[in-house]
């Protein structure tokens, strides 16, 4: 975006400038359209930014419309490129037919099914039915052409077949990025589910042998791209994928390290997902507790009203600050491309979390306090607190005379507290002992290996030398 980053930072914690650095050109376009609707930037600035993106696509109608918005004539080089693309697409029709007939043939389909278990035999079988490096390259070019004009369904189909045929692992990874982009830009629940599957494939590739082919810095960059691109399916799918977001962003140490190193601002989206999930556990862990642990240990130091809301509530127990941050967070949500449609849900969940915490450390809550903080009348405030009590495990009753919610806290005996604390002690001790034993054995093996490497040669070898 053609805007000074310092100016962007002052505009309600706008992360558009940072996030767009990690997005494909066509993924940036929806962000720019959203910013245009917000009216925070000058129309000319948005139009110039759109041109920077569109010039890398074949969306010539949009390019012409954007120049018209700016009151400028379409440059001749754009018109020449449009003509060249049309000629190229017409000449590619024969290649499309050849490739389509190849990939839809029964014999090729059977060979591709055997490729995972017997890759070499499958390649030999494919050669008997027209397989060649040239036809694979044609497939890549056709997919690229479809993607450039916005035909994402066709592009995804050709990329799937390209990945099945390609031998080069990095080329396969590039094709997976293209398929991921197509799944996102199709904007349907089926496509978002495909995007979710792509995320799992990326994780397997990063952790497997393919990850070792990348330099550490390159692999870090790839993980950062995945984190940013995955915001689309996580927040725009109608199926709640917040647990998947927590698993990737918060519970996977390699991606947590990526956030810490390159993009700490993504903690905002972790905070939103954690507050919406509330007490729901992900892989037997509470997302809010994990986020608070990261903040306490200063693993990630990023701060904005959404993150500050969690800090003030779960670390400082400052409820006035929590409500102030909630009000600020609402404005941040409204101005965030990925979060604006979740504002009402987030506010409702955040209020629940605040009053759950308040009730957990107080013996009574004034209904007037609830009405004041939620800006409700007395009757609506009473209904709201009753609904909260019903859907949580808070044991409370309403005293209408004193206009108080009286809370009953269950207390554990000292004996039960000791049992709870030591329940897993034997198990954890055994794991620690096994880990220590394994480390000692590994160190011994390494030492033995070094001793053999530096041992003096025998006499016969010396004499020969």
């Amino acid at each position: 975006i053609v805007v000074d980053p310092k100016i962007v930072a002052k505009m309600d914690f706008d992360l558009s400038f940072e996030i767009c650095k990690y997005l494909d050109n066509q993924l940036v376009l929806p962000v720019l359209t959203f910013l245009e609707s917000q009216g925070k930037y000058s129309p000319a600035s948005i139009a110039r930014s759109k041109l920077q993106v569109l010039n890398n696509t074949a969306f010539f109608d949009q390019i012409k419309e954007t120049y018209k918005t700016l009151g400028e004539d379409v440059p001749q080089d754009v018109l020449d490129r449009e003509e060249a693309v049309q000629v190229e697409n017409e000449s590619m029709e024969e290649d499309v037919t050849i490739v389509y007939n190849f990939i839809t043939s029964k014999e090729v389909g059977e060979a591709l099914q055997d490729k995972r278990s017997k890759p070499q035999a499958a390649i030999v079988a494919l050669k008997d039915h027209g397989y060649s490096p040239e036809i694979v390259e044609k497939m890549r070019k056709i997919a690229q052409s479809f993607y450039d004009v916005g035909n994402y369904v066709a592009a995804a189909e050709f990329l799937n077949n390209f990945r099945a045929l390609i031998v080069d692992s990095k080329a396969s990874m590039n094709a997976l990025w293209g398929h991921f982009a197509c799944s996102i830009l199709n904007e349907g629940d089926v496509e978002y589910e495909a995007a979710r599957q792509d995320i799992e494939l990326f994780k397997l590739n990063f952790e497997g042998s393919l990850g070792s082919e990348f330099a550490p810095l390159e692999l870090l960059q790839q993980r950062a791209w995945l984190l940013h691109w995955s915001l689309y399916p996580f927040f725009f799918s109608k199926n709640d994928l917040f647990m998947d977001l927590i698993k990737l962003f918060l519970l996977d140490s390699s991606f947590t390290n990526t956030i810490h190193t390159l993009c700490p601002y993504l903690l905002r989206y972790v905070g939103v997902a954690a507050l919406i999930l509330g007490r729901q556990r992900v892989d037997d862990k509470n997302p809010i507790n994990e986020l608070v642990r990261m903040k306490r240990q200063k693993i990630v130091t990023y701060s904005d009203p959404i993150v500050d809301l969690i800090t003030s509530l779960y670390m400082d127990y400052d409820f006035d600050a929590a409500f102030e941050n909630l009000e600020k967070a609402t404005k941040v949500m409204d101005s965030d491309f990925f979060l604006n449609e979740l504002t009402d849900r987030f506010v409702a969940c955040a209020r629940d979390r605040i009053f759950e915490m308040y009730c957990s450390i107080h013996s009574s809550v004034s209904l007037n306090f609830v009405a004041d903080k939620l800006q409700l009348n007395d009757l609506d405030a009473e209904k709201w607190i009753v609904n909260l009590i019903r859907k949580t495990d808070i044991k409370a009753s309403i005293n209408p005379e004193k206009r108080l919610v009286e809370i009953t806290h269950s207390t554990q005996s000292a004996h039960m507290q000791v049992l709870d604390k030591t329940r897993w002690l034997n198990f954890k001790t055994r794991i620690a002992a096994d880990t220590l034993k394994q480390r000692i054995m590994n160190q011994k093996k390494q030492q033995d290996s070094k001793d053999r490497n530096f041992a003096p040669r025998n006499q016969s070898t010396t004499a020969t030398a």
Side-chain angles (χ1 to χ4, degrees), residues 81-321:
R81 189 163 66 88
E82 181 182 18
E83 185 178 348
V85 168
Q86 288 175 349
V87 171
E88 184 180 0
N89 288 342
E90 289 172 2
S91 65
M92 202 177 286
E93 289 179 2
E94 184 179 349
D95 289 343
V96 172
T97 303
I98 293 171
V99 171
Y100 181 78
N101 291 336
F102 171 74
I103 61 180
T104 55
S105 67
K106 181 181 176 182
E107 295 79 9
V108 171
E110 291 174 352
L112 288 177
Q113 288 180 355
D114 296 335
K115 188 172 183 288
R116 288 186 178 180
S117 57
K118 302 175 182 178
Q120 295 301 326
I123 292 296
V124 173
L126 285 169
K127 286 181 179 178
D128 295 336
H129 301 287
Y131 170 84
S132 67
E134 290 76 18
I135 202 168
V136 175
E137 178 61 18
K138 286 179 181 179
M139 200 176 297
R140 185 196 65 77
K141 288 182 177 180
I142 291 168
Q144 181 70 58
S145 177
F146 279 132
Y147 182 78
D148 287 343
V149 298
N151 189 344
Y152 304 120
V153 175
E157 184 65 28
F158 276 94
L159 285 170
N160 265 337
N161 288 291
F162 174 79
R163 289 184 58 243
L165 291 168
I166 196 68
V167 177
D168 183 79
S169 54
K170 286 198 173 182
S172 178
M173 177 71 89
N174 290 336
L176 182 57
W177 280 112
H179 186 272
F180 191 25
C182 291
S183 300
I184 291 169
L185 291 163
N186 275 330
E187 297 182 351
D189 285 334
V190 175
E191 286 75 18
Y192 283 141
E193 182 58 32
R196 183 185 179 190
Q197 293 172 11
D198 288 341
I199 291 171
E200 294 303 316
L201 279 175
F202 278 118
K203 290 170 65 177
L204 289 173
N205 286 334
F206 293 156
E207 294 165 4
S209 58
L210 182 57
S212 61
E213 296 184 18
F214 291 100
L217 186 59
E218 191 178 3
L219 189 59
L220 184 71
Q221 189 77 35
Q222 294 262 336
R223 285 197 173 102
W225 287 344
L226 181 59
L227 287 167
H228 288 78
W229 289 34
S230 66
L231 293 173
Y232 284 86
F234 286 155
F235 284 103
F236 293 139
S237 173
K238 291 180 181 178
N239 304 318
D240 275 355
L241 299 181
F242 297 128
M243 286 192 175
D244 296 83
L245 184 147
I246 293 296
K247 288 178 184 178
L248 183 67
F249 284 55
L250 192 60
L251 302 183
D252 190 316
S253 59
S254 58
F255 286 95
T256 303
N257 291 335
T258 303
I259 291 174
H260 170 65
T261 307
L262 293 180
C263 40
Y265 49 83
L266 292 182
L267 209 62
R268 168 186 297 182
Y269 304 99
V270 179
V272 170
L275 279 174
I276 288 176
L277 289 172
R279 297 187 179 188
Q280 295 183 58
R281 301 185 74 81
V282 181
D283 289 348
D284 202 33
K285 292 185 178 180
N286 184 302
I288 292 177
N289 291 345
E290 290 299 307
L291 186 53
V292 169
R293 179 186 62 81
M294 287 177 63
K295 289 294 290 182
R296 281 206 173 105
Q297 296 177 0
K298 297 183 179 179
I299 296 174
V300 180
T301 56
Y302 172 78
S303 178
D304 69 13
I306 294 173
V307 177
D308 290 345
L309 169 58
I310 294 174
T311 302
S312 58
L313 183 57
Y314 292 97
M315 293 175 64
D316 303 333
Y317 305 104
D318 187 338
F319 297 98
D320 289 333

Side-chain angles (χ1 to χ4, degrees), residues 406-426:
E406 297 176 343
I407 303 158
T408 303
H409 296 287
S410 57
T411 56
Q412 277 188 323
S413 65
H415 175 69
M416 289 303 297
Q417 290 182 37
V418 171
L419 282 178
D420 284 343
K421 292 290 184 183
T422 58
R423 181 174 297 167
W424 299 99
L425 190 59
N426 288 337

Side-chain angles (χ1 to χ4, degrees), residues 319-320 323 326 348 351-352 354-359 362 364-389 394 396-398 402-407:
F319 297 98
D320 289 333
F323 277 108
L326 177 57
R351 285 173 171 175
D352 288 352
I354 292 172
F355 278 98
E356 281 178 24
M357 180 60 71
Y358 191 90
C359 291
H362 289 82
S364 64
V365 181
S366 168
L367 287 173
N368 293 332
F369 172 78
V370 176
D372 177 58
K373 292 299 182 182
L374 300 182
Q375 298 180 350
L376 300 173
N377 59 45
D378 292 347
L379 181 60
D380 288 341
E382 187 172 337
K383 288 180 180 178
W384 187 88
I385 200 71
V386 167
N387 288 332
L388 178 65
I389 292 170
I394 298 172
S397 59
I398 295 178
K402 297 181 180 179
R403 292 195 52 73
L404 289 176
V405 179
E406 297 176 343
I407 303 158

